Amino acid sequence: MNVLLEAVGINKSFGGVQALRDVSLTIRQGEIYGLIGPNGAGKTTFFNVLTGLYAADGGGFSFDGQPLDIAAPHLVAAAGIARTFQNIRLFANMTALENVMVGRHLKSRAGVIGAVLKNAGTRSEEAAIERRAVELLHYVGIADHANALARHLSYGDQRRLEIARALAMEPKLLALDEPAAGMNATETGALRLLIEGLKNDGLTVLLIEHDVKLVMGLCDRVVVLDYGEKIAEDVPEKVRRDPKVIEAYLGGAVA
Amino acid sequence: MNTHAKPWQGIVLIALVLAALPFAVGLGMGNAWVRVLDFALLYIMLALGLNIVVGFAGLLDLGYIAFYAIGAYLYALLASPHFGLHWPTWAILPLGALVSGLFGILLGAPTLRLRGDYLAIVTLGFGEIVRIFLNNLNSPVNITNGPQGIARIDPISIAGVPLSKPLEFLGLALPGVYLYYYLFVLLALVIIFISLRLEDSRIGRAWVAIREDEVAAKTCGINVRNVKLLAFAMGASFGGVAGGLFAGFQEFVSPESFSLMESVMVLCMVVLGGMGHIPGVILGGLLLAVLPEVLRHGAAPVQKLLFGKVLIDPESLRMLLFGLTLILVMLYRPAGLWPSATRKRELSA
């Protein structure tokens, strides 16, 4: 299978804390790739470096055969990586529909002049943005709440809305930061179906998750970080039995 | 047929009201009040410009009046005996929008990383710097004529007809304040139209997205730097046009018209009316421009009537009541007098 994202020797430290140490990994086209590790292992830091929110101290990415410019988040987005956040970041006072419409920013081009003149081109573009946004709300199953403010949605629906907004960017890689955090079993089950559906539609998914059952059941391959270092990268069955992984999660044998 | 008739009826009605308003006001209360209306329209333009920066993009700007000053001085320098230049109005106003817009970018560029209080302080400084420059650029080379200001500015003229002189129209002599009123209404409508169109567009959504969550906006592919600069430039250009109109209308400009108090006033119009909600901002601009005049003229006679003499100087009473009004509005209508539906829910939840 083709490699979609390759990270080579990513380093990032905050003061004296080395949050990522020489992390290298490859994500293949069309797979669900899990990123797991104990708290503080550097998973979210990796996401933030990848999506341009933090500047890396060293290393680089290649994405879809090109070097990835991580100098600014919007460049990463333009390259085709969309993400969600561990602590949901929606546009709280915009409606669900508007949130998804913002996600179409890169796929539309009307500027000030187009907006003011509202010529045929702008009108059809706006209609297309809205149509796609409604489709996506249906896809994630919250179309009933299209006109509700994002902040008034239930927790699970907010997670779904964030995914819909990310999907609106038509990404090649969807990076989900703990999408099941705080969800009950039913919501997690629905989320799992949603992510499997994304995979079936050909999307590549990078998934940070604490719910080990979800990760093991869903992911094609898993990488494990511990104290900023990669300690394992393989199919879930093998990672599960890796002594280093067990040690990282459960603590090492004494003496 | 019927469904289409209704909006047009509304528009015709509004047009008739706007056309008749100066006559009703002028004949009922005197032409000085038409002049107040003219100023109210200028303030509405300013408030709508600031609304783009503060209301849509969420960037607190306390130096907005600087762009008004830049537009006004540009007009004054290009159409007065000061430099002996007499450019036509139609050339200066767009240039004023452009130059103010550029200054907007100039202010925006170094402040991109600042938010909230910090941004407010820097913009406040910018506003003061512009005023102080205007005050002091009379030596060694006299550019702005310093604190004396620039006088004998050419009145705005359209197709060679200066608006300062009464115009004979259908056997009716329309005084200058009426003519300015119609011009200002027209331009205010243009600015309202642009604001409405921008609000409901890809750009408008990007502004609001930045206001709501800058990090999320970035990861949605919005080039936050450019979109913020665009907000500064658009807002400033509205201010520049209003400034040019102000200079031509007054035929005199001096730095003291562009004090911090004016910036605060325009910000109050935006906040009081309903931040980010265009009808609210228009209402805010109208009220805050007209009410102080009502108090200025009404306070003394009312006191005479009640107490037989003037107890409190109308000028201090004006500021007192103004402050009280602001406090009451913030207490009982924190989202503004006429907030957008969204904003109202936000503050009540």
Side-chain angles (χ1 to χ4, degrees):
Chain A
M1 255 196 290
N2 291 329
V3 170
L4 180 65
L5 178 82
E6 183 168 23
V8 183
I10 303 297
N11 275 293
K12 175 71 191 172
S13 53
F14 299 100
V17 181
Q18 184 99 30
L20 293 173
R21 194 189 303 270
D22 274 328
V23 174
S24 300
L25 50 83
T26 49
I27 300 177
R28 296 175 194 145
Q29 198 95 44
E31 69 179 349
I32 300 179
Y33 187 89
L35 175 55
I36 63 172
N39 285 325
K43 304 182 296 290
T44 296
T45 303
F46 181 82
F47 258 45
N48 286 344
V49 170
L50 170 65
T51 52
L53 291 174
Y54 293 163
D57 298 334
F61 295 91
S62 77
F63 183 67
D64 207 18
Q66 308 269 342
L68 179 68
D69 187 352
I70 51 170
H74 69 269
L75 298 175
V76 175
I81 299 178
R83 71 169 289 178
T84 64
F85 293 87
Q86 187 178 347
N87 42 350
I88 309 172
R89 300 192 85 131
L90 289 167
F91 307 122
N93 295 302
M94 296 173 97
T95 64
L97 183 67
E98 284 168 341
N99 267 271
V100 184
M101 287 172 81
V102 171
R104 296 299 292 168
H105 188 83
L106 282 171
K107 299 289 169 191
S108 48
R109 37 188 3 89
V112 169
I113 295 181
V116 171
L117 297 181
K118 214 169 181 179
N119 49 359
T122 311
R123 279 200 306 274
S124 72
E125 185 180 278
E126 278 289 302
I129 291 172
E130 194 174 331
R131 205 174 326 117
R132 183 73 189 131
V134 171
E135 276 171 23
L136 285 165
L137 288 176
H138 274 289
Y139 185 85
V140 301
I142 53 170
D144 291 348
H145 306 300
N147 292 316
L149 290 190
R151 56 203 290 275
H152 290 163
L153 296 180
S154 72
Y155 188 79
D157 287 349
Q158 290 192 1
R159 288 265 179 225
R160 287 161 175 276
L161 177 56
E162 219 188 2
I163 292 172
R165 185 181 68 190
L167 289 176
M169 295 159 64
E170 292 173 25
K172 294 178 188 133
L173 175 68
L174 177 65
L176 303 173
D177 194 349
E178 292 197 32
M183 281 189 171
N184 61 32
T186 324
E187 285 172 327
T188 307
L191 178 77
R192 181 181 172 150
L193 289 178
L194 177 63
I195 297 173
E196 278 170 348
L198 293 173
K199 185 196 165 171
N200 290 337
D201 292 345
L203 194 64
T204 312
V205 180
L206 168 59
L207 178 69
I208 293 183
E209 191 46 69
H210 266 306
D211 188 327
V212 175
K213 227 169 84 188
L214 182 68
V215 171
M216 294 300 173
L218 201 55
C219 294
D220 298 302
R221 288 191 310 139
V222 175
V223 66
V224 188
L225 293 185
D226 189 30
Y227 292 109
E229 278 183 271
K230 183 169 93 172
I231 56 170
E233 181 184 22
D234 214 324
V235 292
E237 295 78 54
K238 286 193 180 154
V239 165
R240 193 204 298 258
R241 286 192 292 271
D242 190 316
K244 280 204 314 208
V245 177
I246 295 168
E247 187 182 313
Y249 270 94
L250 300 176
V254 182
Chain B
M1 197 62 202
N2 247 341
T3 49
H4 275 82
K6 279 205 172 136
W8 283 109
Q9 283 168 2
I11 289 172
V12 168
L13 193 71
I14 290 172
L16 283 177
V17 169
L18 286 176
L21 192 63
F23 290 96
V25 170
L27 298 177
M29 301 191 286
N31 284 350
W33 285 96
V34 182
R35 198 179 159 75
V36 171
L37 272 186
D38 292 351
F39 270 105
L41 286 165
L42 288 179
Y43 276 116
I44 286 172
M45 294 181 212
L46 284 175
L48 285 169
L50 185 60
N51 181 50
I52 287 186
V53 183
V54 179
F56 292 166
L59 304 162
L60 183 51
D61 183 350
L62 282 182
Y64 183 69
I65 211 71
F67 306 118
Y68 190 49
I70 288 164
Y73 266 84
L74 192 79
Y75 188 102
L77 295 174
L78 293 178
S80 74
H82 184 61
F83 285 149
L85 292 171
H86 296 282
W87 287 29
T89 305
W90 60 261
I92 304 177
L93 288 183
L95 188 67
L98 193 72
V99 172
S100 288
L102 287 177
F103 271 92
I105 291 173
L106 207 64
L107 163 70
T111 60
L112 283 170
R113 286 166 178 277
L114 303 177
R115 285 185 74 83
D117 326 0
Y118 302 99
L119 179 64
I121 290 168
V122 174
T123 51
L124 187 149
F126 175 79
E128 284 300 279
I129 288 168
V130 167
R131 188 181 59 81
I132 291 166
F133 259 101
L134 295 174
N135 218 7
N136 292 291
L137 277 181
N138 54 349
S139 68
V141 185
N142 186 0
I143 301 173
T144 63
N145 210 24
Q148 284 118 350
I150 297 171
R152 289 189 294 141
I153 298 170
D154 301 346
I156 291 171
S157 58
I158 288 168
V161 182
L163 300 190
S164 56
K165 298 206 174 59
L167 181 73
E168 292 284 342
F169 180 71
L170 300 174
L172 205 69
L174 281 181
V177 280
Y178 285 58
L179 302 177
Y180 276 115
Y181 169 85
Y182 288 119
L183 175 69
F184 290 2
V185 162
L186 203 69
L187 287 172
L189 287 175
V190 170
I191 283 178
I192 292 168
F193 178 78
I194 294 175
S195 291
L196 286 170
R197 278 284 167 90
L198 283 176
E199 183 185 29
D200 180 30
S201 75
R202 172 173 174 266
I203 301 290
R205 280 193 300 273
W207 282 335
V208 176
I210 290 175
R211 181 188 80 199
E212 293 292 316
D213 190 324
E214 195 169 327
V215 171
K218 283 179 183 167
T219 56
C220 282
I222 294 170
N223 185 335
V224 169
R225 182 195 63 201
N226 290 0
V227 172
K228 273 188 180 177
L229 288 180
L230 186 64
F232 275 118
M234 286 305 300
S237 65
F238 289 6
V241 170
L245 295 173
F246 170 75
F249 177 49
Q250 288 280 77
E251 299 174 29
F252 171 73
V253 292
S254 76
E256 67 183 80
S257 304
F258 310 107
S259 63
L260 173 63
M261 195 56 210
E262 290 290 309
S263 283
V264 172
M265 196 69 157
V266 177
L267 185 65
C268 281
M269 291 169 178
V270 175
V271 175
L272 201 79
M275 239 197 287
H277 188 226
I278 292 166
V281 171
I282 296 169
L283 178 72
L286 188 67
L287 284 182
L288 284 197
V290 172
L291 280 187
E293 296 302 318
V294 172
L295 280 173
R296 196 208 299 275
H297 292 90
V302 168
Q303 287 188 60
K304 277 216 176 96
L305 200 72
L306 287 177
F307 314 114
K309 59 179 176 185
V310 178
L311 285 176
I312 308 172
D313 165 43
E315 190 64 18
S316 20
L317 186 68
R318 190 163 71 99
M319 291 318 278
L320 199 72
L321 285 176
F322 183 51
L324 189 68
T325 316
L326 279 180
I327 291 170
L328 288 177
V329 167
M330 287 302 114
L331 273 178
Y332 295 105
R333 298 198 61 93
L337 291 172
W338 189 358
S340 66
T342 318
R343 196 83 180 173
K344 204 153 57 187
R345 276 175 290 177
E346 170 188 347
L347 280 152
S348 64

